[in-house]
Amino acid sequence: MSKRLIRWLSGLLALAAGIYFVRYAYLALASKDLSGLLDGRVIAAATALTILYALLIPTTGIAWTWLLRAMDQPARYRRMLPILAVTQFGKYLPGNVAQHIGRIAMARGAGVQLPAALFSIAYEMLLMLVACAHISALTLLWDPPAALSHWKITEYRLPLLVIVTLGAFIALLLAPRVASRLAIYRARHRGDQDYVPPRLHLNAATVLACYVTYAINFCLIGIGLWLVSHTLLDGVTASPSPIFLTGAFASSWILGFVAPGAPAGLGIREAILSAWLSGALPAEQVVLLVVVLRIATTIGDLFSLAWGSIATGRNGLPT
């Protein structure tokens, strides 16, 4: 009953956020000339954003391979990468779990043990959330949006940056141990007192390398957003910094991720990103930037699905 209630509440939240963004977009774009979107420079910047977004699949594939190898699994990058590319599109299905289920099933077909496949995705989600929260906090303190720029807390930027970084570091060190203990607890709860988990513990080097990889992913999107915003403004006003836009995207991503009723964070991320950017860009450019981002991510995922399907067929993996 509680799970059904959470799904309903998440769906309502996604609907409300979608309505907010549609209304915001309507007010911002009413009677506005949108022909600027067809400008060659804007199209080039949007293409660059799409390419940078598409690079997230190869970088995430590297990290996933590292996680599996650290758990003594026969993971080869050229086999894991197409699996990730194909299953990534499952996030557009309601529930935000289809991509994980599909990835586990295909990884099993590639010889990865079930516990390792499950825990690799759990580790990935946990480490990615830590990286996203860390980057959001760092950028929020370093280059806060207009609504928060007058808060007294920003006067203590340096010590807060140190505290946030130490908190992220501690979370990275504890994550593997917490995951292993949860596996043992669940097994004993089922009555399996002699359960011995497979090698699921990760070394510190793997955890740190994966964290850096996930952090780079968010920075790539921040750079792409800066290119698009800089082109849309066309020198009329100064564009927000890449640091600011990286934090804006990271914050919208993490809030969209925790809303399971929104496929690929649809509605949630647009609303959060619009609110974050409202004090840094004119309303018209905010909407155009958010729309371009959604188009770029969708095209990037379609491209990954296409080449991933071809690659999995060549590798003899089930799709």
Side-chain angles (χ1 to χ4, degrees):
M1 182 65 180
S2 59
K3 292 183 179 180
R4 181 177 298 178
L5 179 61
I6 291 174
R7 285 198 297 267
W8 273 100
L9 291 176
S10 300
L12 289 174
L13 178 62
L15 179 61
I19 292 174
Y20 165 82
F21 176 71
V22 170
R23 182 176 181 275
Y24 182 92
Y26 174 77
L27 294 176
L29 299 180
S31 303
K32 295 293 192 305
D33 182 12
L34 302 182
S35 60
L37 284 176
L38 300 179
D39 182 85
R41 292 174 299 170
V42 175
I43 293 175
T47 302
L49 174 60
T50 304
I51 294 172
L52 289 171
Y53 175 77
L55 289 176
L56 268 59
I57 294 297
T59 55
T60 304
I62 292 173
W64 187 35
T65 304
W66 286 340
L67 291 173
L68 291 171
R69 288 179 179 174
M71 291 184 279
D72 296 332
Q73 296 302 304
R76 291 187 300 164
Y77 179 69
R78 59 183 298 179
R79 287 177 68 85
M80 297 300 108
L81 180 59
I83 292 174
L84 181 63
V86 169
T87 57
Q88 180 74 3
F89 205 77
K91 67 184 180 182
Y92 290 94
L93 299 176
N96 275 346
V97 295
Q99 73 270 33
H100 303 311
I101 296 174
R103 194 175 357 158
I104 291 170
M106 294 185 69
R108 293 279 291 131
V112 177
Q113 295 178 355
L114 179 59
L118 287 168
F119 274 88
S120 68
I121 294 177
Y123 282 138
E124 178 183 285
M125 293 172 59
L126 179 59
L127 295 177
M128 193 174 293
L129 284 172
V130 171
C132 184
H134 188 199
I135 288 180
S136 298
L138 291 178
T139 52
L140 175 65
L141 292 170
W142 188 263
D143 195 359
L148 303 180
S149 60
H150 302 296
W151 286 23
K152 295 286 290 184
I153 193 173
T154 58
E155 298 178 5
Y156 306 96
R157 180 177 298 154
L158 184 59
L160 287 172
L161 289 174
V162 174
I163 292 172
V164 167
T165 301
L166 286 176
F169 181 73
I170 293 171
L172 293 176
L173 291 179
L174 293 179
R177 289 178 172 81
V178 171
S180 295
R181 290 185 180 275
L182 285 175
I184 296 174
Y185 170 79
R186 293 186 62 184
R188 291 178 177 175
H189 186 71
R190 295 193 304 265
D192 189 359
Q193 300 298 326
D194 299 325
Y195 173 77
V196 178
R199 188 182 186 281
L200 301 175
H201 182 69
L202 303 179
N203 56 69
T206 300
V207 171
L208 181 60
C210 290
Y211 166 81
V212 172
T213 302
Y214 300 142
I216 289 173
N217 284 349
F218 291 107
C219 293
L220 288 175
I221 301 301
I223 293 172
L225 288 174
W226 177 82
L227 289 173
V228 176
S229 67
H230 184 73
T231 306
L232 286 173
L233 291 172
D234 195 24
V236 176
T237 58
S239 172
S241 68
I243 293 177
F244 178 88
L245 290 168
T246 298
F249 173 75
S251 299
S252 65
W253 184 90
I254 196 170
L255 291 174
F257 180 86
V258 297
L266 186 62
I268 299 290
R269 288 174 184 158
E270 282 78 3
I272 297 300
L273 191 56
S274 298
W276 187 292
L277 297 175
S278 60
L281 291 169
E284 179 183 353
Q285 274 70 29
V286 168
V287 175
L288 294 179
L289 182 61
V290 173
V291 171
V292 169
L293 175 62
R294 177 57 71 175
I295 293 173
T297 56
T298 304
I299 293 176
D301 287 330
L302 283 170
F303 173 74
S304 297
L305 175 65
W307 73 256
S309 299
I310 296 173
T312 51
R314 290 178 177 177
N315 289 337
L317 293 172
T319 57

